[in-house]
PDB file of all heavy atoms in Angstrom:
ATOM      1  N   TRP A 135       1.724  17.536 -35.706  1.00 89.00           N
ATOM      2  CA  TRP A 135       2.993  17.563 -35.145  1.00 89.00           C
ATOM      3  C   TRP A 135       4.076  18.025 -36.175  1.00 89.00           C
ATOM      4  O   TRP A 135       4.994  18.681 -35.835  1.00 89.00           O
ATOM      5  CB  TRP A 135       3.474  16.168 -34.580  1.00 89.00           C
ATOM      6  CG  TRP A 135       2.966  16.129 -33.129  1.00 89.00           C
ATOM      7  CD1 TRP A 135       1.905  15.284 -32.701  1.00 89.00           C
ATOM      8  CD2 TRP A 135       3.393  16.899 -32.023  1.00 89.00           C
ATOM      9  NE1 TRP A 135       1.745  15.509 -31.390  1.00 89.00           N
ATOM     10  CE2 TRP A 135       2.582  16.385 -30.908  1.00 89.00           C
ATOM     11  CE3 TRP A 135       4.334  17.908 -31.792  1.00 89.00           C
ATOM     12  CZ2 TRP A 135       2.771  16.969 -29.669  1.00 89.00           C
ATOM     13  CZ3 TRP A 135       4.537  18.383 -30.547  1.00 89.00           C
ATOM     14  CH2 TRP A 135       3.757  17.998 -29.451  1.00 89.00           C
ATOM     15  N   MET A 136       3.769  17.609 -37.462  1.00 87.00           N
ATOM     16  CA  MET A 136       4.759  17.983 -38.512  1.00 87.00           C
ATOM     17  C   MET A 136       4.745  19.601 -38.627  1.00 87.00           C
ATOM     18  O   MET A 136       5.807  20.170 -38.839  1.00 87.00           O
ATOM     19  CB  MET A 136       4.416  17.323 -39.859  1.00 87.00           C
ATOM     20  CG  MET A 136       4.679  15.867 -39.824  1.00 87.00           C
ATOM     21  SD  MET A 136       4.056  15.064 -41.281  1.00 87.00           S
ATOM     22  CE  MET A 136       5.245  15.508 -42.519  1.00 87.00           C
ATOM     23  N   VAL A 137       3.542  20.119 -38.600  1.00 87.00           N
ATOM     24  CA  VAL A 137       3.370  21.558 -38.657  1.00 87.00           C
ATOM     25  C   VAL A 137       4.146  22.259 -37.380  1.00 87.00           C
ATOM     26  O   VAL A 137       4.809  23.248 -37.624  1.00 87.00           O
ATOM     27  CB  VAL A 137       1.915  21.979 -38.607  1.00 87.00           C
ATOM     28  CG1 VAL A 137       1.722  23.492 -38.414  1.00 87.00           C
ATOM     29  CG2 VAL A 137       1.238  21.503 -39.861  1.00 87.00           C
ATOM     30  N   ILE A 138       4.076  21.649 -36.286  1.00 88.00           N
ATOM     31  CA  ILE A 138       4.686  22.180 -35.129  1.00 88.00           C
ATOM     32  C   ILE A 138       6.122  22.076 -35.104  1.00 88.00           C
ATOM     33  O   ILE A 138       6.910  23.053 -34.860  1.00 88.00           O
ATOM     34  CB  ILE A 138       4.160  21.610 -33.766  1.00 88.00           C
ATOM     35  CG1 ILE A 138       2.636  21.913 -33.690  1.00 88.00           C
ATOM     36  CG2 ILE A 138       4.860  21.982 -32.556  1.00 88.00           C
ATOM     37  CD1 ILE A 138       1.889  21.129 -32.550  1.00 88.00           C
ATOM     38  N   LEU A 139       6.642  20.914 -35.563  1.00 87.00           N
ATOM     39  CA  LEU A 139       8.066  20.536 -35.347  1.00 87.00           C
ATOM     40  C   LEU A 139       8.941  20.824 -36.635  1.00 87.00           C
ATOM     41  O   LEU A 139      10.177  20.878 -36.509  1.00 87.00           O
ATOM     42  CB  LEU A 139       8.269  19.123 -35.061  1.00 87.00           C
ATOM     43  CG  LEU A 139       7.625  18.648 -33.683  1.00 87.00           C
ATOM     44  CD1 LEU A 139       7.786  17.095 -33.622  1.00 87.00           C
ATOM     45  CD2 LEU A 139       8.228  19.390 -32.534  1.00 87.00           C
ATOM     46  N   SER A 140       8.321  21.186 -37.791  1.00 85.00           N
ATOM     47  CA  SER A 140       9.241  21.375 -38.984  1.00 85.00           C
ATOM     48  C   SER A 140      10.071  22.625 -38.855  1.00 85.00           C
ATOM     49  O   SER A 140       9.982  23.361 -37.984  1.00 85.00           O
ATOM     50  CB  SER A 140       8.284  21.536 -40.212  1.00 85.00           C
ATOM     51  OG  SER A 140       7.727  22.716 -40.226  1.00 85.00           O
ATOM     52  N   ASP A 141      11.052  22.674 -39.810  1.00 83.00           N
ATOM     53  CA  ASP A 141      12.015  23.821 -39.784  1.00 83.00           C
ATOM     54  C   ASP A 141      11.327  25.220 -39.842  1.00 83.00           C
ATOM     55  O   ASP A 141      11.795  26.150 -39.286  1.00 83.00           O
ATOM     56  CB  ASP A 141      13.024  23.634 -41.004  1.00 83.00           C
ATOM     57  CG  ASP A 141      13.956  22.504 -40.762  1.00 83.00           C
ATOM     58  OD1 ASP A 141      13.835  21.898 -39.699  1.00 83.00           O
ATOM     59  OD2 ASP A 141      14.753  22.279 -41.623  1.00 83.00           O
ATOM     60  N   GLN A 142      10.154  25.177 -40.603  1.00 83.00           N
ATOM     61  CA  GLN A 142       9.418  26.425 -40.575  1.00 83.00           C
ATOM     62  C   GLN A 142       8.191  26.402 -39.569  1.00 83.00           C
ATOM     63  O   GLN A 142       7.359  27.164 -39.691  1.00 83.00           O
ATOM     64  CB  GLN A 142       8.915  26.715 -42.059  1.00 83.00           C
ATOM     65  CG  GLN A 142       9.948  26.901 -43.069  1.00 83.00           C
ATOM     66  CD  GLN A 142      10.360  25.519 -43.529  1.00 83.00           C
ATOM     67  OE1 GLN A 142       9.612  24.612 -43.703  1.00 83.00           O
ATOM     68  NE2 GLN A 142      11.793  25.395 -43.849  1.00 83.00           N
ATOM     69  N   GLY A 143       8.213  25.455 -38.785  1.00 84.00           N
ATOM     70  CA  GLY A 143       7.067  25.142 -37.884  1.00 84.00           C
ATOM     71  C   GLY A 143       7.019  26.177 -36.705  1.00 84.00           C
ATOM     72  O   GLY A 143       7.760  27.085 -36.601  1.00 84.00           O
ATOM     73  N   VAL A 144       5.970  25.945 -35.865  1.00 86.00           N
ATOM     74  CA  VAL A 144       5.691  26.850 -34.819  1.00 86.00           C
ATOM     75  C   VAL A 144       6.926  27.059 -33.857  1.00 86.00           C
ATOM     76  O   VAL A 144       7.271  28.221 -33.483  1.00 86.00           O
ATOM     77  CB  VAL A 144       4.502  26.370 -33.980  1.00 86.00           C
ATOM     78  CG1 VAL A 144       4.176  27.346 -32.854  1.00 86.00           C
ATOM     79  CG2 VAL A 144       3.280  26.225 -34.852  1.00 86.00           C
ATOM     80  N   ILE A 145       7.570  26.033 -33.527  1.00 86.00           N
ATOM     81  CA  ILE A 145       8.588  26.056 -32.540  1.00 86.00           C
ATOM     82  C   ILE A 145       9.866  26.800 -33.104  1.00 86.00           C
ATOM     83  O   ILE A 145      10.300  27.787 -32.503  1.00 86.00           O
ATOM     84  CB  ILE A 145       9.025  24.664 -31.956  1.00 86.00           C
ATOM     85  CG1 ILE A 145       7.856  24.031 -31.177  1.00 86.00           C
ATOM     86  CG2 ILE A 145      10.222  24.744 -31.149  1.00 86.00           C
ATOM     87  CD1 ILE A 145       8.101  22.686 -30.670  1.00 86.00           C
ATOM     88  N   ASN A 146      10.312  26.247 -34.178  1.00 85.00           N
ATOM     89  CA  ASN A 146      11.449  26.913 -34.794  1.00 85.00           C
ATOM     90  C   ASN A 146      11.143  28.304 -35.268  1.00 85.00           C
ATOM     91  O   ASN A 146      12.042  29.217 -35.088  1.00 85.00           O
ATOM     92  CB  ASN A 146      12.041  26.024 -35.975  1.00 85.00           C
ATOM     93  CG  ASN A 146      12.882  24.970 -35.634  1.00 85.00           C
ATOM     94  OD1 ASN A 146      13.823  25.187 -34.781  1.00 85.00           O
ATOM     95  ND2 ASN A 146      12.572  23.711 -36.089  1.00 85.00           N
ATOM     96  N   GLY A 147      10.021  28.525 -35.765  1.00 87.00           N
ATOM     97  CA  GLY A 147       9.583  29.900 -36.166  1.00 87.00           C
ATOM     98  C   GLY A 147       9.643  30.876 -34.970  1.00 87.00           C
ATOM     99  O   GLY A 147      10.238  31.954 -35.136  1.00 87.00           O
ATOM    100  N   SER A 148       9.142  30.465 -33.814  1.00 88.00           N
ATOM    101  CA  SER A 148       9.179  31.375 -32.737  1.00 88.00           C
ATOM    102  C   SER A 148      10.528  31.576 -32.207  1.00 88.00           C
ATOM    103  O   SER A 148      10.887  32.804 -31.960  1.00 88.00           O
ATOM    104  CB  SER A 148       8.319  30.730 -31.604  1.00 88.00           C
ATOM    105  OG  SER A 148       7.049  30.308 -32.006  1.00 88.00           O
TER     106      SER A 148
END
Side-chain angles (χ1 to χ4, degrees):
Chain A
W135 276 109
M136 289 171 78
V137 170
I138 294 168
L139 297 176
S140 75
D141 288 359
Q142 298 82 35
V144 179
I145 292 177
N146 276 313
S148 309

